[in-house]
Amino acid sequence: MEQLRIRTLAGLFLVAGVLSWAGARLWDSVGTLPRVPLAAPIVLAVIAAVLLATALSLRARLRAQRERRPGAKGVEPMMAARAVVFGQASALVAALVSGMYGGVGAFLLEYLDVPPRRDQAIYAGLSVLAGIAVIAAAFFLERVCRLPEDEDEHGGTATAA
């Protein structure tokens, strides 16, 4: 399984940001810009919390299994692989969504004196922060599920499957 690359995520973020900034300018000149939903940062924060909870749970179970504690509940390889795939997919989507809201937020910075637009800029900024939290949690989950023997064979680039 390939490891997440920060360059790929940053590229997705930047491309989505530039396209959404240009789209927001165009849309605003033609009509009314759609609102940034209040639920956007909330949903992203929930996804980050789920990824973090999964990573912490797997880390505790793997540590108990490694230390051979009595009654330790093991981690099935397929479950770890599914968790990593979920984390990677979440990070890719979060990079796109954060870039989109970042571009819209950058456009809205010109109108901070208008209270509704200021609120939309705040929601967009919170969405970007929550998206970064999703990406950080996905990297942590990927690190937790990395196999020690994969680090030795491939120079630390493979993740658990």
Side-chain angles (χ1 to χ4, degrees), residues 71-156:
K73 191 174 179 184
V75 177
E76 293 184 30
M78 282 304 290
M79 185 181 82
R82 287 181 185 128
V84 170
V85 169
F86 172 63
Q88 289 180 344
S90 298
L92 290 169
V93 170
L96 284 171
V97 170
S98 295
M100 183 188 74
Y101 286 125
V104 171
F107 169 74
L108 290 172
L109 288 177
E110 299 172 20
Y111 303 100
L112 289 179
D113 54 334
V114 180
R117 293 236 172 162
R118 182 177 48 240
D119 293 343
Q120 297 301 301
I122 290 170
Y123 298 157
L126 290 174
S127 296
V128 171
L129 292 176
I132 292 170
V134 169
I135 292 169
F139 273 111
F140 180 59
L141 176 62
E142 190 175 64
R143 180 180 166 95
V144 164
C145 292
R146 186 175 296 140
L147 291 174
E149 58 267 10
D150 284 346
E151 291 176 2
D152 294 339
E153 293 174 13
H154 303 292

Side-chain angles (χ1 to χ4, degrees), residues 26-38:
L26 178 66
W27 200 322
D28 192 57
S29 68
V30 174
T32 304
L33 184 68
R35 308 190 96 214
V36 176
L38 175 60

